[in-house]
């Protein structure tokens, strides 16, 4: 039996895009997720305009992180859905990280791996 890889998709998005992202994920049949309010910054360091030498530190802005663990075949549809819901074309639209997942256990049944994720 072929065993599929499991991945953890971590997406950082603008809070105001969350509703739209959730809708797109649902349409893509992605219905399991964890959502966390976080603060973060990317390459603008949290400033839309950065004057050279003007700032010694970063400015952390409110973001939403969505964690979704999926079997390999759901990685691309999940990424597509997040991009569709979150992209405006402006800086700060967000970033998606994909991490190889070593294990998943459904506590109630003891199922493991892809069966436990799905
Ligand atoms: N390398 C990183 N490590 C950890 N978190 C990151 C990283 N890059 C971005 N993030 C998170 O993603 C959020 C959104 O990042 P953002 O969209 O501003 O990325 P960017 O690289 O600055 O791209 P852009 O130029 O389009 O703004 C950040 O506020 C932060 O929470
Ligand atoms: Mg940025």
């Amino acid at each position: 039996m072929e065993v599929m890889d499991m991945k953890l998709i971590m997406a950082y998005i603008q809070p105001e895009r969350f509703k739209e992202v959730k809708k797109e994920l649902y349409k893509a049949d992605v219905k399991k997720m964890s959502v966390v309010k976080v603060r973060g910054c990317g390459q603008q360091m949290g400033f839309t305009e950065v004057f050279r030498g003007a700032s010694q530190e970063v400015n952390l802005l409110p973001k939403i992180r969505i964690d979704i663990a999926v079997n390999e075949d759901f990685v691309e549809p999940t990424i597509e859905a997040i991009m569709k819901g979150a992209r405006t074309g402006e800086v700060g639209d967000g970033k998606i990280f994909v991490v190889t997942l070593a294990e998943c256990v459904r506590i109630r049944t003891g199922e493991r791996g892809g069966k436990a994720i799905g």
Side-chain angles (χ1 to χ4, degrees), residues 106-112:
R106 177 175 278 125
I107 294 174
R108 177 175 58 87
T109 59
E111 290 166 292
R112 291 191 170 232

Side-chain angles (χ1 to χ4, degrees), residues 9-64:
I9 298 169
M10 298 166 62
Y12 292 84
I13 62 161
Q14 295 284 26
E16 60 267 27
R17 302 305 302 169
F18 177 65
K19 222 177 151 186
E20 201 58 32
V21 169
K22 204 168 56 153
K23 202 192 291 177
E24 291 299 331
L25 286 169
Y26 191 87
K27 278 203 260 172
D29 211 23
V30 178
K31 293 164 184 166
K32 301 183 201 72
M33 67 187 77
S34 298
V35 178
V36 204
K37 283 184 186 174
V38 298
R39 285 154 61 80
C41 63
Q43 63 182 353
Q44 291 79 23
M45 302 185 297
F47 299 92
T48 35
E49 286 178 287
V50 179
F51 300 98
R52 190 150 52 105
S55 175
Q56 297 278 23
E57 49 182 295
V58 299
N59 186 29
L60 298 173
L61 302 172
K63 302 283 168 181
I64 294 279

